[in-house]
Amino acid sequence: MKRVGVFVCHCGSNIAAVVDCERVAKEAAKFPGVAFSIDNKYMCSDPGQDLIKKAVEEHHLDRIVVASCTPRMHEPVFRRATENAGINPYLFAMTNIREHVSWIHTDREKATEKAIDLVRMAVAKVLHTVPLEKSSIPITKRALVIGGGIAGMQAALDIADNGNPVVLVEREPTIGGKMPMLDKTFPSLDCSACICTPKMASTDQHPNITIYTHSEVERVDGYIGNFQVTIRQKAKYVDHKICTGCGLCETKCPNKKIPNSFEAGMGNRTAIYKAFPQAVPNKPIIDAANCRKLTKDKCGVCAKVCPTGAIKYDDQDELITIDVGAIVMATGYDLFPWKEAYGEYGYGKYPDVITGLQFERLVNASGPTSGHILRPSDGKEPKTIVFIKCVGSRDDVKGKAYCSRTCCMYTAKHAHQAVDKIEDSHVIVFYMDVRTAGKGYEEFYQRTVEDGVHYVRGRVSKIYQLGDKLIVRGEDTLLGEAVQVNADLVVLATAMVPSAGSGEIAHIVGFSTDKDGFYQEAHPKLRPLETFTAGVFLAGACQGPKDIPDTAAQGSGAAAKASAVLSNRSMETDPLISQVNDAVCAGCGVCVGICPYRAIELKEITQRAGGKTIARRVASINSGLCQGCGACVAACRSGALDLKGFTNQQIMAEVDALCL
Amino acid sequence: MKYAYYPGCSLDSTGIEYQLSTKAVAGTLGVELWEIPEWNCCGASAAHNTDRLLSLALPARNLALAEKEGLDVAVPCAACYSRMKATEKAVRGSEDVREKISEIIEMEYGASNRTLALLDVFTNQAGLEQVASLATKPLQGLKTACYYGCLMVKPPRLAEFDDPEDPQTMDRLMDALGAEAVSWPYKTECCGAGFASSRTDIVLQMSYEVLRLAKTAGAEAVVTACPLCMLNLDMRQKEIEAKNGVAIDLPILYFTELMALAFGHKPAAIGFNKHFVDTTPVVRKVEQGRRAKEVQP
Ligand SMILES: Cc1cc2nc3c(=O)[nH]c(=O)nc-3n(C[C@H](O)[C@H](O)[C@H](O)COP(=O)(O)OP(=O)(O)OC[C@H]3O[C@@H](n4cnc5c(N)ncnc54)[C@H](O)[C@@H]3O)c2cc1C
């Protein structure tokens, strides 16, 4: 005789305000198989969990039903409580009377009836459960970090310091991301390169870190603890084992007019190049599309001048495969393509309308103007500078609905720098709101205002060129007046968007993105560093717009998560996965194509039939990969597949409990 | 090509030259314009400030008459165009609105036909190659500032045929006619027509900016597709000059007038003589340009 215990949770007033929990418990006591039933204010609290233990002892229960919140929230808690009470943790069923009942209904009578029905179903289901055991899989003690910005470097260093090897894959020829492009960083105004390049060097030198630059991840198979990764090392045309990084080739390359993306288009580079002097690795590569030797078979100067013979015009892409146990995504951000959207700002046709990132290069001592703020059109020092915030941010018509979080602060920084560097300057910031939530941020902004920067609350509706001035027209919404500024330079704080190709890489690694294309965290509050795919973690601006302090914190956080995975020799797997009844399986293979996790293969079995041994193929489930989604069960034509913990029999029992 | 034609209240009065040139161009292009019988005012400027249903019902009656004929509607005036587009969208977007409107106008209206700006009809719909091939008297060398005003391409959710910030339809048309479209920043700024009678001081200021920037950009004429813009830029130009102590002397023409001129219609027949600012310099310039071209081909 099975003996089920039913526990109905009030969740304070979250459930009890709409559902008569006492009545639910009373009704549940009458269901077949129920030996004990009670309601309680907070089942997830310690006293609540103790209640389960005591009831099991006193009433000799062998199965547990908890009616409370979503299983996403507390299923693990109650499974553990069940186990602590001496019952197999899978002889437990949870039903959701909060999200599915109290939070969506108002009629107390009907809501209570619905809760009773849900409990009736859960009891019917739990009566058909069998004990399940967890199994374990071995773990590869190596991590992969994709993206070598500050987020990726921080994550790689922390994992490596924890004693595990890390492979860092960066698609640019150097690691560093955006941070080395910046001049000073808010709120302390310390030099960005000075704090970033040592990190790049440490990453390079760490014995546990292997860096692949100019490389991309092409394929990821497997699952937490056991990923197989294919990396494409793109041809560099320079043998970095021989190259000493002397830089002679760069000085001699005749093709010198290629826009350098590191300079945000404000400066040029050669075809054989390092992005900047402190690049890591500090060795050049050839940009094949712009190299005369590689495109027209002319020139060849770099090979002639190279003292070590490191130039390799016949270099090929290389595929490298590695096994890793955990993956950290740190692919960062790009800036919103404002030139395609903002016609009122000229669609990019005015050379002196630039982005914040371009401004960073203009104030940077190692930038194209050696740190002098000179406007691109005529190289003159601008006196009147207008900054416009929220270009592409908080604009759901032309851009993105969200706030990009960093722009208020970096615009305050830029405005301060402009006032600081340019005598008799007149600096105006057009803003919608000033958002400075961060340690020392508001103080920084106030200082900028005290510097004499003019903050005007309102959006700019139009910019146009008249002679050598940019006419900026907008509204001061505090005064209710139209304003016009005749500016020399306009700087746009453009929105942060997911980096190019981040959707593709998310697909390759196998996790989801949010409505704006940023990587989707498993829970916006409580699991911000995880994805829904076990073993894949998030760091930095790839998860949403972020400044450096938050990015670094997330890098360390993701590293801690990854290290926790790698700290075990093996890990337990959830037994709630598909199973195959070999006797019924016809080996049609429909399930193989259906499975989103590539968890099903066909394997050959031999069996005796009619006095002969025959071989045939049947489906086989990889317990490490199967996530228990049940897609294969629904697709199976012969009914050979079943999902443990959600068997067809259990589901029919639930339906019967409701309908019969 | 046949369209229902909604002239609106200006084209029989202040915008008569728009009407004359439109008919001339339609004739040359072989576009048949079927004037909606007993059309009523679209309600522009007043109705949508008063009552939403009224502002939808007024244009809806005209659109419904065209729908019954199975015709798309060609609308010359930018303000009428905007109101009709708003109606079309509202009716298409909501069954509830459709029912209410049909009940008010006592006619079925399902917005199965399209409202098109006349500018769109004479360029994109008719095809610019055809326009170019019919321009037997090209507007050689004439520098024009194409002025779209505030309603022809805005708001983008209503006007969909061109870019709201840097539209090109008229610019491309000028190119097809042999004229030059100067690059200037005030293509889609407002002339102030909303305040035409209540705050003329504002209108004078706003229209002055439009004229000043067109002139600065080197334009010899401003091209418009809106009778209200015409009124402000043309009729008030003298006043603007006086108020600001400057000479502007910038002829304002409808795009249809320039089309008709290039198609070989006589200036007087298409209303060139009905403007406040003298338009003969335009005609002269075009003829000179053509002659110069003939001399040295
Ligand atoms: C103008 C401006 C000024 C700023 N100023 C400040 C400041 O003063 N203080 C501050 O705290 N913050 C500032 N920020 C914000 C700062 O830039 C970010 O917080 C920080 O760079 C985020 O780091 P990240 O590593 O997440 O991303 P990134 O710096 O974007 O790095 C991502 C890296 O991943 C690589 N990558 C992308 N996709 C792939 C792929 N598929 N495979 C391999 N590699 C890939 C990229 O090449 C890049 O190297 C500023 C931002 C801007 C735009």
Side-chain angles (χ1 to χ4, degrees):
Chain A
M1 200 42 199
K2 291 163 186 164
R3 296 178 63 80
V4 180
V6 174
F7 301 84
V8 182
C9 181
H10 294 202
C11 194
S13 61
N14 268 306
I15 296 171
V18 182
V19 174
D20 182 346
C21 296
E22 205 183 315
R23 200 178 123 209
V24 175
K26 278 216 183 89
E27 286 298 317
K30 300 179 199 157
F31 300 156
V34 174
F36 174 75
S37 172
I38 195 165
D39 57 309
N40 182 277
K41 197 148 184 165
Y42 285 109
M43 278 307 295
C44 59
S45 66
D46 279 348
Q49 295 184 47
D50 277 348
L51 190 62
I52 297 182
K53 199 166 177 178
K54 280 203 205 100
V56 168
E57 278 166 18
E58 280 171 27
H59 301 276
H60 310 291
L61 305 175
D62 60 9
R63 279 167 168 73
I64 304 295
V65 167
V66 175
S68 58
C69 52
T70 165
R72 273 185 179 274
M73 187 88 184
H74 280 324
E75 194 175 54
V77 170
F78 294 127
R79 266 207 216 294
R80 220 176 311 118
T82 306
E83 194 171 14
N84 289 342
I87 301 177
N88 179 289
Y90 294 91
L91 295 178
F92 159 79
M94 189 166 175
T95 191
N96 183 355
I97 58 168
R98 194 177 72 175
E99 283 83 345
H100 288 179
V101 182
S102 65
W103 279 359
I104 53 166
H105 298 304
T106 45
D107 183 325
R108 190 172 168 84
E109 178 59 29
K110 287 194 177 142
T112 303
E113 272 166 33
K114 180 171 169 184
I116 293 168
D117 279 343
L118 288 175
V119 173
R120 192 197 317 275
M121 290 165 71
V123 170
K125 180 185 175 196
V126 86
L127 286 172
H128 289 88
T129 52
V130 293
L132 298 173
E133 297 302 332
K134 290 180 174 167
S135 59
S136 82
I137 47 171
I139 284 176
T140 309
K141 285 176 171 287
R142 185 186 295 115
L144 169 71
V145 176
I146 305 180
I150 187 62
M153 292 193 291
Q154 185 73 40
L157 283 167
D158 284 6
I159 298 170
D161 283 345
N162 247 305
N164 289 306
V166 183
V167 170
L168 175 63
V169 176
E170 165 60 56
R171 70 173 166 202
E172 295 296 322
T174 174
I175 57 169
K178 305 284 184 309
M179 199 174 156
M181 300 169 77
L182 309 179
D183 181 46
K184 301 232 159 43
T185 53
F186 63 75
S188 45
L189 284 184
D190 38 359
C191 150
S192 188
C194 311
I195 54 176
C196 184
T197 50
K199 271 246 177 290
M200 292 162 65
S202 315
T203 311
D204 192 29
Q205 286 151 14
H206 202 295
N208 278 347
I209 301 179
T210 311
I211 302 179
Y212 291 101
T213 50
H214 205 39
S215 299
E216 278 182 64
V217 170
E218 203 156 88
R219 193 184 160 106
V220 175
D221 292 310
Y223 47 92
I224 178 169
N226 297 276
F227 294 105
Q228 289 93 43
V229 181
T230 309
I231 300 165
R232 177 177 293 271
Q233 167 70 69
K234 289 176 277 182
K236 294 176 173 163
Y237 307 99
V238 178
D239 187 340
H240 281 196
K241 284 195 218 68
I242 312 177
C243 171
T244 61
C246 72
L248 194 57
C249 51
E250 291 177 71
T251 56
K252 299 290 183 213
C253 176
N255 199 357
K256 296 189 192 306
K257 286 257 146 57
I258 306 158
N260 190 354
S261 57
F262 185 81
E263 299 292 1
M266 310 280 286
N268 294 332
R269 61 163 170 81
T270 44
I272 185 165
Y273 76 107
K274 288 193 296 257
F276 61 107
Q278 296 88 359
V280 168
N282 204 258
K283 295 174 182 180
I285 66 154
I286 296 180
D287 160 11
N290 285 302
C291 169
R292 290 183 197 166
K293 178 71 185 173
L294 291 170
T295 52
K296 301 193 189 106
D297 199 21
K298 289 189 184 132
C299 187
V301 164
C302 48
K304 280 183 212 132
V305 300
C306 178
T308 61
I311 308 295
K312 254 170 72 178
Y313 293 125
D314 60 351
D315 197 12
Q316 300 278 326
D317 286 10
E318 204 184 315
L319 292 180
I320 299 153
T321 49
I322 51 162
D323 292 337
V324 299
I327 300 177
V328 174
M329 299 302 301
T331 54
Y333 69 99
D334 275 335
L335 292 176
F336 177 75
W338 73 275
K339 290 183 183 177
E340 287 157 30
Y342 282 83
E344 60 268 51
Y345 301 164
Y347 285 132
K349 70 174 170 237
Y350 309 126
D352 296 328
V353 179
I354 63 172
T355 66
L357 201 55
Q358 291 177 311
F359 187 81
E360 293 281 349
R361 297 312 298 156
L362 280 188
V363 277
N364 197 310
S366 64
T369 55
S370 307
H372 301 293
I373 303 174
L374 303 176
R375 50 186 219 164
S377 63
D378 53 10
K380 286 197 192 134
E381 186 179 69
K383 290 290 176 199
T384 304
I385 305 184
V386 167
F387 290 91
I388 306 177
K389 296 207 276 187
C390 300
V391 177
S393 305
R394 305 180 66 194
D395 182 349
D396 53 1
V397 176
K398 296 199 167 194
K400 307 290 173 183
Y402 56 80
C403 161
S404 290
R405 285 187 61 195
T406 57
C407 330
C408 278
M409 283 305 291
Y410 75 62
T411 299
K413 173 182 75 174
H414 292 167
H416 163 82
Q417 287 175 308
V419 173
D420 196 41
K421 288 205 166 192
I422 301 174
E423 225 178 302
D424 313 323
S425 58
H426 185 197
V427 177
I428 300 126
V429 177
F430 280 91
Y431 70 98
M432 287 163 70
D433 293 287
V434 180
R435 296 178 169 178
T436 57
K439 207 167 168 177
Y441 286 14
E442 176 66 16
E443 296 91 317
F444 183 88
Y445 157 61
Q446 288 302 342
R447 233 176 302 140
T448 306
V449 174
E450 282 158 24
D451 285 344
V453 172
H454 215 89
Y455 271 72
V456 178
R457 185 177 181 279
R459 281 184 85 95
V460 167
S461 61
K462 188 164 193 82
I463 302 172
Y464 63 92
Q465 184 103 40
L466 204 62
D468 71 343
K469 290 282 178 189
L470 288 163
I471 314 299
V472 179
R473 296 176 61 213
E475 187 187 2
D476 185 331
T477 56
L478 296 181
L479 296 179
E481 272 178 7
V483 280
Q484 176 168 319
V485 182
N486 298 350
D488 300 310
L489 182 70
V490 176
V491 184
L492 310 178
T494 45
M496 286 166 104
V497 296
S499 63
S502 54
E504 286 80 357
I505 190 75
H507 186 72
I508 289 171
V509 179
F511 61 92
S512 45
T513 52
D514 66 21
K515 71 178 197 327
D516 296 305
F518 288 109
Y519 298 157
Q520 178 74 55
E521 65 281 358
H523 189 283
K525 281 160 267 179
L526 302 179
R527 294 171 66 198
L529 307 172
E530 292 153 79
T531 63
F532 282 120
T533 304
V536 180
F537 306 105
L538 303 176
C542 61
Q543 182 261 345
K546 234 172 242 89
D547 57 17
I548 297 164
D550 286 1
T551 297
Q554 248 195 3
S556 289
K561 287 273 170 199
S563 299
V565 172
L566 303 184
S567 66
N568 298 305
R569 212 176 285 273
S570 62
M571 65 178 296
E572 288 187 328
T573 59
D574 201 349
L576 299 177
I577 60 171
S578 280
Q579 58 187 348
V580 187
N581 182 346
D582 287 353
V584 181
C585 178
C588 71
V590 164
C591 52
V592 176
I594 291 268
C595 177
Y597 304 98
R598 293 181 249 173
I600 311 182
E601 282 173 351
L602 291 180
K603 69 167 185 199
E604 199 163 276
I605 56 164
T606 51
Q607 71 184 97
R608 305 256 325 149
K612 273 190 275 177
T613 304
I614 53 163
R616 64 186 188 90
R617 290 172 2 126
V618 295
S620 153
I621 313 286
N622 180 322
S623 63
L625 287 177
C626 177
Q627 303 287 314
C629 74
C632 57
V633 180
C636 181
R637 300 171 195 178
S638 45
L641 288 161
D642 215 352
L643 188 59
K644 288 193 244 175
F646 293 89
T647 59
N648 290 336
Q649 196 195 15
Q650 286 176 304
I651 289 169
M652 284 316 293
E654 285 186 275
V655 175
D656 285 350
L658 187 65
C659 305
L660 290 185
Chain B
M1 277 204 289
K2 183 174 176 182
Y3 292 89
Y5 174 59
Y6 176 78
C9 52
S10 310
L11 269 76
D12 278 328
S13 53
T14 53
I16 185 72
E17 64 275 31
Y18 202 178
Q19 176 99 298
L20 293 171
S21 53
T22 293
K23 298 219 157 132
V25 170
T28 310
L29 283 174
V31 172
E32 193 182 331
L33 296 178
W34 174 78
E35 184 165 333
I36 297 170
E38 312 222 330
W39 54 264
N40 58 277
C41 169
C42 73
S45 68
H48 62 286
N49 288 333
T50 321
D51 182 88
R52 177 171 137 88
L53 273 183
L54 176 66
S55 80
L56 297 176
L58 284 168
R61 185 180 163 275
N62 301 314
L63 295 172
L65 289 168
E67 186 179 40
K68 222 184 276 175
E69 295 294 312
L71 293 175
D72 289 340
V73 189
V75 187
C77 167
C80 304
Y81 171 62
S82 189
R83 291 328 309 161
M84 293 188 148
K85 269 304 224 198
T87 304
E88 176 190 302
K89 294 254 160 171
V91 168
R92 237 178 244 159
S94 152
E95 184 56 23
D96 183 43
V97 171
R98 192 195 65 76
E99 268 172 27
K100 271 201 193 112
I101 295 297
S102 297
E103 192 191 322
I104 295 172
I105 62 175
E106 297 178 348
M107 252 188 292
E108 274 308 314
Y109 173 51
S112 64
N113 55 346
R114 296 178 300 164
T115 305
L116 300 171
L118 186 72
L119 175 61
D120 186 20
V121 170
F122 280 176
T123 55
N124 308 324
Q125 310 295 329
L128 278 180
E129 293 98 78
Q130 197 208 347
V131 170
S133 72
L134 291 168
T136 49
K137 300 234 158 109
L139 311 177
Q140 220 65 54
L142 181 69
K143 287 194 174 146
T144 58
C146 296
Y147 180 55
Y148 299 77
C150 58
L151 287 176
M152 186 51 80
V153 290
K154 282 182 184 178
R157 97 192 118 79
L158 294 185
E160 294 159 319
F161 71 98
D162 206 339
D163 186 289
E165 299 297 344
D166 188 10
Q168 294 297 331
T169 307
M170 244 194 272
D171 296 56
R172 279 195 294 263
L173 172 64
M174 289 305 120
D175 190 50
L177 298 177
E180 186 190 324
V182 300
S183 161
W184 71 307
Y186 262 45
K187 280 180 169 182
T188 62
E189 293 302 304
C190 174
C191 68
F195 289 129
S197 40
S198 55
R199 288 288 303 272
T200 31
D201 56 323
I202 293 179
V203 181
L204 291 181
Q205 182 55 34
M206 293 177 82
S207 294
Y208 173 48
E209 289 297 310
V210 173
L211 292 169
R212 186 171 69 88
L213 284 157
K215 189 96 183 161
T216 313
E220 296 158 324
V222 173
V223 195
T224 174
C226 172
L228 299 175
C229 300
M230 173 62 77
L231 214 59
N232 285 327
L233 300 182
D234 187 33
M235 183 182 80
R236 297 193 200 274
Q237 202 173 111
K238 271 265 133 9
E239 209 179 337
I240 290 170
E241 287 177 329
K243 192 176 166 208
N244 294 285
V246 290
I248 297 174
D249 286 331
L250 206 48
I252 319 293
L253 292 161
Y254 289 106
F255 72 99
T256 44
E257 291 180 276
L258 287 177
M259 284 181 95
L261 189 68
F263 288 171
H265 292 272
K266 289 271 161 305
I270 50 176
F272 263 62
N273 55 351
K274 301 217 179 270
H275 292 275
F276 288 85
V277 180
D278 186 12
T279 58
T280 46
V282 170
V283 180
R284 218 178 303 127
K285 164 94 197 205
V286 168
E287 273 166 9
Q288 265 167 15
R290 231 180 359 250
R291 244 178 277 129
K293 185 140 190 241
E294 275 155 23
V295 175
Q296 35 164 239

